[in-house]
Structure formats: C-alpha cells, structure tokens
Amino acid sequence: MSAKEKVLSVGIDLGTSQSAISTSAGAHHVVDSYVGWPVDMVARKVMKKPVVIGAEALENRTMLDLHRPLEQGLIKEGSEKDLAAVREILSHLIELATEGNRETRTRAVVGVPAETMRVNKQQLRQIMRGMVDSLIIVSEPFAVAYGIEALLHTMIIDVGAGTTDFCVMKGRYPTEEDQRTLTKAGDSVDDLLAKLIDERHPEVQFSIHMVRGWKEQYGFVGEPAKRALVTAPVHGKAQKVDITDAVRAACESLLAPFTETMLDLLAAVEPEYQEKVRQNVMLSGRGSRIHGLAEELEKALVDLGGGKVRLVDDPVFAGANGSLAIALDADEDDWEKVSA
Amino acid sequence: MPGGSSDSLKRRLLAGAVDDNVRAIRNQPRRRLYRRAPFPWLLAAAGAALVAAAALVVVALRSGAPAPAESGAASVATSAPAPEGLPAFVSAPPARVSGRVFPLAVRRIAIDPGHGGGDQGTRTSSGLREKDLTLDLARRLAARLAAAGFEPRLTRDSDQRMLLADRARFANDAGADLFVSIHLNWIEDGRANRGIETFYLGPSDDPEATQLASFENRESGYSLADVRRLLDSIYADLRQEQSRAFALAVQKRLLAAVRAVAPEVRDRGIKSAPFLVLVATDMPAVLAEVACLSNDEEARLLGRDDYRDRIAGALFDGIAAYSRSVAQAEPGSGSDKGVR
Ligand SMILES: Nc1ncnc2c1ncn2[C@@H]1O[C@H](COP(=O)(O)OP(=O)(O)OP(=O)(O)O)[C@@H](O)[C@H]1O
Ligand SMILES: [Mg+2]
Ligand SMILES: [Zn+2]
C-alpha cells in the first residue's frame, strides 16, 4: 500500500434479500435489497428524496415504484430499472462505508449469487465503474468459504432468498463443475407456505411479507420444537391460527433437492477426499436458519458413512466478511489488473 | 495435488479469482467444461443451458445410459440407474418416433400464458404487466380455437403462479398436440426495442436468446438433476423439426398482422433456445414473444382490445396453418378429426 494514498478495502455481499458491506476500517452495514422511486409528485414530496432504499422502501411501497432487482439471483432481463436499482444499492452501501470520505481509494470485492456471476458479470462491472477504483467479483459461496478459511475439502451451502448456491472447495478456484445453484431457497419456501396456508386456512388473510415473517420465526424441519401459532386477521378480526404443519411441509420442500445436490457434488469429489468433505459441510445464508436443517442434512449423509453439517457463525456478514478477506489478501498486482 | 500451506493455497485461489475477473474484463467466456463431443447438438444445448438458467447447471449424470457430455468430464459420477428415478412430470425419454405416426393430427392445443401470480414477467412503468397480457391473449386465442373446432387447454386461467414443470406436465397429461407459450418481450436496444420473435426447442449460441431463456427458465421448479435428464432426453429431433415448422408458421402470421398496424416492427425471426417449458413438453412446442413492452408505442397499443385481438388472431392463424400442413403431409389422418 502506498504511503501517500489512503486505501479503503471493502467486501460486499450483494443478495436478493439483503446486501451487506464490511470494510477494512471496521464498519459493517446491511440493507434490505429493495429500491423504490416515488411514483409521482406527491410521493416525492412525502418521501423527501428521489430514491428510497432498504426497509424504508418496503414500508412505503404504496408510494413507490418498488424494485427487488435480484430475484432468483439474477438481475432481471436487462431491465433498466433493475440495473439502476442494483446501482443504488451498491452506491448506498459504499456511501455508508466511506462516510462520504472522498479522499480514499476504494477497492471492492463483491460476492454475488452464482447465477449473477454467470449472466450479469459484465453489467455489474459497468454499474460499479466510477464507484470504486478496483473491483473483483466472486461468487457468494466462494467468498464465504474464503472468509471462514474453509478452503479445502469443504462444501458451502449458501441458502439465500432467491437461490441456494452450493460450492465444493477443492483447492482451486471453483469451476462450474464445483458449483450448483438451485432456485429452491427462502422465497420458494415463502411461496409454498403461502399456498399451503391458503389451502388449509382459506379464511385467513395474509400477505407474502407476513408469511415470510412467520417462516423466519417458526421455520423448522423434522420434529417441531414448538407449535407455530400465529396471529392473523380472519374476517377482519385478529385470531390465532396454528400453521405448524404448513410451516414444516414448506420448509421440508428444501430437503430433497438439497440432499440430491449435495450427494451429486460429493460424487464428483475424488474418492479419497469425500470423507473429508462430508465432515466439513457449512451452511451459510440466513435461509439456513431453519431449525433442524443441519441435522436433517446430516441424516442424508449417514448412508455414505456419516458427516458433519454446521452453521457459519454470522450468516448476515459471512459473505461480506469473506469478500473483505479476499480484498485484504489481494496484492497491488492483483488490483492493478482489475481496475474499474 | 492440493496441499502446501494455507497461504499458498489462498494465493492460488486469489489468482484464480483475479484471473476469472480479468477474463470477464476482456470479455472472454470461461473455459467450456466439455470439449470432445460425439453429439455436438446436444452439447451445444447443454452449453447454452449452462449459461442459461438458475436450474440449468450441469449435474452429475445419474442416468445409466452413457451420455455424450460425459466424455469430457472425467470426474462426473455415473452411479444411480435412471428411469425409475425420473420425477413424475418428466415423461420417459422419448423413443424416436416415425414421422408417419407423429403427430397424426392437430386437435388439442395447450396454450400457456407466461408467468402469473408473484411472477409478473416484464412490466412497463405505466403498470402493464406481462402476466396479465399473456392471460388475456391466451383467453382470446382459446375462444377462437374453440369456435373453430379445436380443443384449447389453458395451463392457467387465473392470475396464478405456476412452475414451468407443472405447465409442461399439464400439456403432456392433457395429451395436447401442440403447445404454444405466450410471452411479451423486453428488448434493451434503443430504438430497435420493438420486434417479434418465436422460439422453438434447440441449442442456442445467441447470447440474447440465451439470456432470455435464462430469464424465462427461472421459475422452472426442476431440480438440477432433472434438467440434466431432460437435456439428455431431447434427442427428439423430429419434434424439433416440427417445432421449427410450427414456429415459422406462427412468426409469419404474427409479423404480418402486427405490421399491418405498425410497419416498423422488426422481424427478429425464429430462433432455437433451451427454454425449459419447450424441453419438457412432449409435443411440437413454441414460445412466442408476441410483442415488446420495452417499446412505448407497442405498450400503448397493447392496452387496446383490438390490438390484442389482432395478435390472438395471428396466433390462431399460425396454429391453423401449421395444422393444415400437417394434415396434408399425413393424408387421411387429419380430415377425420374435424380439423380444417
Ligand atoms: N431465522 C430465519 N429462519 C429461516 N429463514 C430465515 C431466517 N431469517 C431470514 N430467513 C430467510 O433467509 C432468506 C434471506 O437470506 P439471505 O439474506 O442470506 O439471502 P440473500 O443473500 O439476500 O439472497 P441470495 O443469496 O439468494 O441472493 C429469506 O428468504 C429470509 O426469509
Ligand atoms: Mg446471499
Ligand atoms: Zn416472459
């Protein structure tokens, strides 16, 4: 690092549901990945700003043209608005992190869903031009693996909102062959849960946001630790409804695809290392906080000789911290090659 | 040989990440996984699919039959036997069918209004939503088909989210003779953002088509292993040929009808692309992007009844023309089924 210039390294996790940043100066911020533009003059007056980001955007959605730009882990079909929304999220995070300090050079590592890596990498580079001085884009599970030093003979399963990304670390930068993406993740559980509640309790009124909240509070697979008793309006009156079975069925819809993908990836590991990988399966992403998930996945490994599935410590910042670790380890030469 | 200190391992991973980014900056695709291929067509499909969908990631082959892509990927597993493992919605890999018996005639038409429910498809800032327009067009088309003695079957007849897997299964179970999926496009290309294109099943090296397929495939509901099996089973070159003829018929009528009102609409032609809904259906199938919401004038026209009627009429004409050509090619097979 040159003496005369201050350099700020940042690690960013760009997610479907939340995006987070960690910096070499020790800052941590997280925002919900929602962006809204006031729909008309009135809305603009009320909101007092041209663009609203995060939870505030969600709360005021009736007044906003609201975008959640990364649904299913992809920037949507080249839509200008969604590209602009991604830009707003990223610049908002960087602004939070630099606190308006313009003198520093900013070097960023951005972890994105594997699907975005495949399809939108160029667009992301374009978006971030001018925002940072150098930029490295990596896939989210790789960033997580790097951050927790699970670099060899490990499997990362990052359960997000739009996608679940699997990645096996084999001592090389992961290739297509080492990674898998499923669209079975938090959002798909929400959709199924909504459908099940609708079927089993047609009198209950709810929104998808309520359903998501219930899942986050009660989500489990296997045996229920407690009943999922939720309060929801029924014919306009608040009532308690037991949705335990629906919650379980919705969450368990993840098990078969997760197990199948885990086993598929394991089968592609060289035989002498399979045991090691089985003992080192790490769950990251907030979607992995469904109770009992690790235990159920471990059961699937029993037939293969057993294994260990663990949760990363900080699912909100595991990706951002991992990206930051990469940023700190990259040297001048590396940054030179990827100037934005 | 993975080994050495953690530092040198980190160095190697970092170099890989930087290398990957440098390649993206130079706009080079990542190295293809598979090279030697006895069946280049399928390989191209798999390659395109790799880039394409969230669901479309190569999965360890579990099918017992040796598949072409395998030859390039040494470490891919080939353990579990296939057919009984097929999920219910994937019909067994089609045996080659003789052109003399397939299809006998066209009577039942599956119409698939794209998107629905929480999946809105594309949307204009004025609030026109793809999911609503496709349903409207589908209903208009169904009415015309029914009046002419065909048997239309809608995959969805309400504002309902439906997985691609379920759409395909619906058409297969209904014993449909033809499948047409209706969509509206969004083309980000300045003034050229207005055009019509019709897709049929096949590989694609057109990045735009691939991106579109990736977008439309997001809601697939297939596990990765399923997709792999599906791709392995699309040897139905006969169906591809018929789908191509069907696509031609539809595209021609659509273009003529729309140009009568808006001469400047571009002919984007018929194209092949790995849309999952086309992969998983058993009958000749097309996906028509009947108009472009990205164009303001087009969006305005789509708000009008008579314009939507015109498009539905063109789709009808395309179906009728194709079924006539089939009936002619199969003497004695069409006339007794009430097809004109
Ligand atoms: N306690 C919880 N239990 C279960 N699920 C939870 C919990 N907390 C959050 N979630 C779910 O986790 C998902 C969000 O996870 P995360 O923030 O890791 O996703 P993301 O990184 O934004 O998405 P992606 O990786 O797909 O881009 C949402 O579906 C959310 O409802
Ligand atoms: Mg994430
Ligand atoms: Zn569409």
Side-chain angles (χ1 to χ4, degrees):
Chain A
M1 197 187 297
S2 84
K4 42 191 186 307
E5 237 175 346
K6 277 199 274 178
V7 176
L8 182 72
S9 299
V10 306
I12 295 177
D13 165 10
L14 181 64
T16 308
S17 113
Q18 285 191 344
S19 298
I21 191 166
S22 300
T23 77
S24 53
H28 299 278
H29 300 275
V30 58
V31 298
D32 290 335
S33 300
Y34 285 97
V35 177
W37 288 272
V39 285
D40 53 24
M41 277 303 291
V42 179
R44 216 162 310 155
K45 281 230 169 89
V46 177
M47 298 310 305
K48 295 198 182 66
K49 44 189 151 190
V51 49
V52 192
I53 294 158
E56 192 188 357
L58 193 58
E59 279 154 25
N60 294 291
R61 60 180 172 278
T62 51
M63 277 185 286
L64 302 171
D65 176 15
L66 188 72
H67 286 247
R68 190 193 192 204
L70 282 175
E71 238 147 67
Q72 309 264 330
L74 270 172
I75 302 177
K76 277 180 245 152
E77 202 185 2
S79 145
E80 255 325 302
K81 262 293 162 63
D82 285 320
L83 284 174
V86 172
R87 188 176 300 127
E88 294 292 349
I89 291 170
L90 288 167
S91 73
H92 181 69
L93 284 174
I94 286 172
E95 223 152 82
L96 285 174
T98 55
E99 288 165 342
N101 189 346
R102 304 270 148 141
E103 268 121 274
T104 44
R105 286 174 71 79
T106 319
R107 295 166 166 177
V109 173
V110 180
V112 301
E115 227 14 60
T116 310
M117 274 292 276
R118 264 190 276 280
V119 182
N120 302 116
K121 203 159 29 176
Q122 302 288 8
Q123 282 165 314
L124 260 183
R125 285 207 88 83
Q126 295 240 313
I127 286 174
M128 293 199 74
R129 189 161 293 156
M131 239 184 257
V132 296
D133 298 281
S134 299
L135 171 66
I136 296 174
I137 302 174
V138 298
S139 80
E140 169 91 6
F142 174 72
V144 170
Y146 199 96
I148 60 175
E149 308 228 342
L151 303 172
L152 189 56
H153 308 319
T154 58
M155 183 185 298
I156 309 292
I157 307 179
D158 182 54
V159 191
T163 57
T164 299
D165 287 333
F166 293 69
C167 179
V168 180
M169 297 295 290
K170 297 178 176 171
R172 63 182 180 198
Y173 186 69
T175 63
E176 299 272 8
E177 187 184 336
D178 306 336
Q179 309 193 61
R180 299 277 190 282
T181 298
L182 297 180
T183 51
K184 292 273 176 281
D187 285 354
S188 74
V189 172
D190 298 345
D191 287 345
L192 183 56
L193 182 54
K195 200 176 137 210
L196 293 175
I197 296 176
D198 205 27
E199 272 167 25
R200 296 175 191 183
H201 310 278
E203 70 288 356
V204 174
Q205 291 170 279
F206 58 86
S207 71
I208 193 73
H209 302 289
M210 291 161 72
V211 169
R212 185 170 300 147
W214 294 337
K215 174 201 67 182
E216 291 175 6
Q217 191 174 354
Y218 295 106
F220 74 98
V221 296
E223 288 314 311
K226 56 176 179 225
R227 308 299 299 174
L229 271 181
V230 304
T231 309
V234 175
H235 307 302
K237 269 198 288 195
Q239 279 193 11
K240 285 244 179 263
V241 186
D242 188 334
I243 57 166
T244 312
D245 296 340
V247 169
R248 177 181 185 161
C251 293
E252 289 191 342
S253 70
L254 298 178
L255 291 179
F258 279 21
T259 304
E260 186 175 9
T261 307
M262 195 169 68
L263 299 189
D264 270 346
L265 277 171
L266 271 171
V269 172
E270 288 181 44
E272 60 261 54
Y273 301 125
Q274 289 187 5
E275 158 87 26
K276 279 196 174 155
V277 177
R278 284 202 312 273
Q279 295 299 336
N280 282 298
V281 179
M282 301 297 300
L283 289 176
S284 69
R286 291 186 305 139
S288 68
R289 265 43 191 176
I290 289 172
H291 292 284
L293 185 57
E295 289 78 0
E296 290 300 313
L297 293 178
E298 269 178 14
K299 282 186 197 160
L301 294 174
V302 168
D303 283 347
L304 300 177
K308 192 96 203 100
V309 182
R310 272 166 295 209
L311 302 175
V312 303
D313 287 334
D314 183 353
V316 175
F317 284 103
N321 289 343
S323 293
L324 176 60
I326 296 171
L328 292 173
D329 283 351
D331 58 28
E332 289 299 324
D333 269 4
D334 295 330
W335 286 117
E336 196 101 321
K337 292 182 197 154
V338 293
S339 57
Chain B
M1 177 220 65
S5 72
S6 148
D7 274 355
S8 76
L9 178 53
K10 279 187 173 174
R11 198 53 245 161
R12 181 158 70 221
L13 293 172
L14 252 171
V18 171
D19 190 47
D20 187 59
N21 277 265
V22 168
R23 223 180 338 240
I25 292 169
R26 298 206 193 115
N27 204 359
Q28 291 168 355
R30 281 188 77 166
R31 271 171 293 131
R32 280 270 167 103
L33 261 181
Y34 306 120
R35 279 192 212 94
R36 290 160 291 125
F39 296 98
W41 183 89
L42 178 68
L43 187 60
L50 259 179
V51 202
L56 286 178
V57 179
V58 171
V59 181
L61 291 168
R62 318 196 72 193
S63 134
E70 221 174 60
S71 56
S75 57
V76 167
T78 53
S79 45
E84 61 272 31
L86 285 174
F89 53 80
V90 183
S91 41
R96 281 178 191 261
V97 212
S98 143
R100 285 194 303 125
V101 297
F102 179 76
L104 286 175
V106 174
R107 180 167 53 175
R108 197 162 296 158
I109 320 280
I111 309 172
D112 175 43
H115 310 276
D119 166 25
Q120 307 203 342
T122 69
R123 208 187 69 161
T124 65
S125 51
S126 65
L128 266 187
R129 297 180 300 193
E130 179 178 5
K131 64 166 186 176
D132 302 326
L133 290 169
T134 56
L135 182 56
D136 176 272
L137 291 167
R139 286 179 177 152
R140 288 170 196 268
L141 172 59
R144 283 173 183 260
L145 286 169
F150 289 93
E151 295 171 16
R153 296 281 188 273
L154 264 61
T155 57
R156 67 172 177 100
D157 196 8
S158 64
D159 181 16
Q160 161 201 357
R161 191 175 193 137
M162 200 173 177
L163 295 174
L164 297 182
D166 294 332
R167 296 172 194 257
R169 177 169 49 186
F170 172 88
N172 294 344
D173 289 351
D177 302 310
L178 286 179
F179 179 91
V180 53
S181 187
I182 303 176
H183 286 258
L184 292 139
N185 217 340
W186 185 283
I187 301 167
E188 206 62 54
D189 188 7
R191 263 166 287 111
N193 62 357
R194 189 170 191 190
I196 291 172
E197 55 195 342
T198 305
F199 292 90
Y200 60 100
L201 171 63
S204 168
D205 10 284
D206 173 357
E208 253 186 86
T210 304
Q211 202 192 345
L212 185 61
S214 127
F215 178 75
E216 302 287 10
N217 284 347
R218 296 174 319 157
E219 295 280 303
S220 79
Y222 289 105
S223 85
L224 304 179
D226 300 337
V227 169
R228 185 66 228 198
R229 288 185 203 115
L230 281 170
L231 282 174
D232 284 344
S233 71
I234 48 177
Y235 284 106
D237 44 351
L238 178 71
R239 188 163 74 84
Q240 196 197 0
E241 216 174 273
Q242 291 169 331
S243 298
R244 186 175 189 281
F246 182 26
L248 257 178
V250 167
Q251 173 75 8
K252 192 172 146 194
R253 303 305 186 294
L254 269 176
L255 199 67
V258 169
R259 277 193 173 160
V261 178
E264 66 279 17
V265 167
R266 284 204 305 154
D267 179 6
R268 295 170 61 89
I270 64 165
K271 297 171 182 169
S272 57
F275 288 100
L276 278 176
V277 77
L278 302 182
V279 175
T281 40
D282 287 343
M283 65 290 313
V286 302
L287 186 149
E289 301 276 356
V290 299
C292 277
L293 283 178
S294 44
N295 181 282
D296 292 343
E297 167 65 6
E298 185 90 7
R300 191 185 64 74
L301 282 172
L302 280 166
R304 283 175 28 187
D305 258 14
D306 57 341
Y307 192 71
R308 295 200 299 274
D309 230 24
R310 172 174 287 274
I311 290 177
L315 287 170
F316 171 82
D317 290 343
I319 291 168
Y322 175 75
S323 62
R324 271 196 305 275
S325 73
V326 172
Q328 274 156 21
E330 319 281 342
S333 62
S335 48
D336 55 340
K337 300 231 173 177
V339 177
R340 303 162 319 147

